[in-house]
Amino acid sequence: MPEPVRLAMIVNPRAGKGRGARAAAVAERMLRDTGAVVSVLAGDTAAQTRALAHQAVHERHDGVVVVGGDGTLTGIVDVLADADVPVTLVPAGTGNDLARALGIPTGDPAAAASAAVHGSPRRIDLGSISSQGESRAFLTIAALGFDAKVSERTNTLRHPRGPLRYYLALVIELLRLRPTDFRVRVDSGEEQSMPGTLLAVGNTSSYGGGMPICVGARPDDGALDLVRVAPLGRLRLLTVFPLLLRGTHLSRPEVLHRQARRVQVSAPDLVVYADGERVGAGECVIGIRPGAVTMMVPRR
C-alpha cells in the first residue's frame, strides 16, 4: 500500500473574525477522511505562524495546508517557496483575492483543502517589496496611492469599530485628496515624474475582496502589472471609481497600464500596502520571482 500523504496544516484561527478556526476543523476532517496524516499547527501571531512554517519545512511534510487569509500566507510564503514545498490554501480571510485568482473555492473549506491530495500543482510568481531596509514577499497587489492612504487612515482610527471605520477613513482621505508626486522607474528605464491618484503594482488582478484594479494580471506570467490613475479631483474620482469596481477602467485616458519586472517608486508621502499589510513608506523597489511557489489548486 502507498504511504499516506503527510501534511502540515498551519492555521490562523483569528482569520476572517474566527472563520479560520471553523474552516480548519472542516478541512482537517476532510483530509483525514482521505487517509492523509495531518499535523495541525496553530499560531496566534505572525511571528508564531512563521516559526510554524519553519517547523513544517524541517519536519519534511509532503505539503503544507495554510488556513487563513492572503496576509497569513504572505507572512510565510517565502519560507515555503525557498523549501519548494507544495502549498494548499484554504481561504478564510476577508479578501481572499489570491484564491479568486487561482480558482480556489472561497466558501467551501473541504473543497479547497482537497486540492492537497487531489489537486494539480501550479507554479506561480512571488512578488517582493524592498523598503526601509527590509524585503518582504507579496502575492496579490501592492497599493501605493489613495487606497493605501485609506488603509493607513483606517489603522490609525480608534472608532468606530467594524466596516464603519473603513468608510470613515475613506471620507477623511477623500476630503484630503491631493495627487501623490510619484517618481517611478520601470525596469531599466529612466526615472519619471508620474503624479497620480492611484498607483498599483499587481501579481494578480484584484485586491480588497475582488476589486480588479490590475484586471488581466496573471500570477504565472513572470511579470508585474503597473496601473496608474492620473491626478483626479474628488468628483472625477467618484465617477471613475465604479469603473474600477467593474474592471473597465484600463481603456480610460486617465489610466496608464503596462507590464514590468521591476518598479521603483518614491514620493514624499508614499505609503505602501500589499496583501492588506503595511510594508513600506517613502521609497520602495518592487520585483518578481517567476514561478517561485508551487500551489496545489483544484483540477479542472
Side-chain angles (χ1 to χ4, degrees):
M1 294 182 64
E3 290 289 323
V5 176
R6 296 177 60 252
L7 300 170
M9 178 180 289
I10 298 177
V11 182
N12 178 357
R14 298 183 180 181
K17 300 180 180 179
R19 285 194 296 272
R22 296 190 293 273
V26 173
E28 179 188 359
R29 184 166 55 250
M30 190 283 305
L31 288 170
R32 291 192 190 281
D33 286 345
T34 69
V37 177
V38 183
S39 300
V40 179
L41 309 172
D44 288 330
T45 67
Q48 289 175 357
T49 303
R50 192 166 177 86
L52 293 175
H54 283 288
Q55 177 183 332
V57 168
H58 177 73
E59 293 174 351
R60 297 183 179 275
H61 291 273
D62 298 316
V64 173
V65 180
V66 179
V67 184
D70 293 335
T72 302
L73 178 54
T74 297
I76 61 175
V77 69
D78 57 327
V79 175
L80 304 178
D82 290 345
D84 201 21
V85 177
V87 181
T88 303
L89 175 63
V90 178
T94 55
N96 300 320
D97 289 286
L98 180 64
R100 287 184 177 84
L102 299 179
I104 298 171
T106 57
D108 189 340
S114 69
V117 290
H118 299 306
S120 302
R122 180 177 176 183
R123 304 287 298 195
I124 69 168
D125 307 331
L126 183 61
S128 66
I129 300 177
S130 298
S131 180
Q132 298 177 309
E134 295 186 10
S135 182
R136 306 189 190 191
F138 76 100
L139 287 159
T140 60
I141 292 177
L144 304 94
F146 175 76
D147 42 0
K149 292 178 181 178
V150 172
S151 296
E152 183 88 333
R153 179 69 60 179
T154 302
N155 291 340
T156 60
L157 292 173
R158 298 288 184 179
H159 301 285
R161 296 183 179 273
L164 288 177
R165 186 169 60 173
Y166 174 81
Y167 294 129
L168 177 58
L170 183 63
V171 170
I172 292 173
E173 290 304 317
L174 189 61
L175 292 174
R176 293 166 54 90
L177 181 67
R178 63 183 185 277
T180 297
D181 187 18
F182 297 114
R183 303 285 302 179
V184 181
R185 184 193 303 273
V186 178
D187 293 331
S188 58
E190 296 293 324
E191 183 180 78
Q192 300 180 54
S193 175
M194 201 177 287
T197 299
L198 285 174
L199 186 67
V201 181
N203 184 41
T204 62
S205 63
S206 73
Y207 63 179
M211 186 166 122
I213 184 71
C214 294
V215 60
R218 293 178 52 85
D220 57 1
D221 61 0
L224 297 163
D225 281 55
L226 170 65
V227 174
R228 170 252 189 178
V229 178
L232 300 174
R234 297 183 187 92
L235 293 179
R236 189 62 181 155
L237 178 59
L238 292 174
T239 301
V240 172
F241 202 75
L243 303 179
L244 299 176
L245 295 175
R246 295 195 298 268
T248 58
H249 56 288
L250 295 188
S251 61
R252 300 291 302 178
E254 305 95 334
V255 179
L256 167 71
H257 174 223
R258 62 169 297 182
Q259 289 193 314
R261 293 288 297 270
R262 182 180 187 272
V263 182
Q264 181 176 333
V265 186
S266 63
D269 57 344
L270 184 72
V271 178
V272 188
Y273 274 72
D275 296 340
E277 304 292 331
R278 192 185 200 274
V279 296
E283 183 175 1
C284 70
V285 176
I286 304 173
I288 190 84
R289 291 174 57 188
V293 187
T294 301
M295 297 294 301
M296 298 300 295
V297 299
R299 291 184 184 275
R300 295 183 178 179

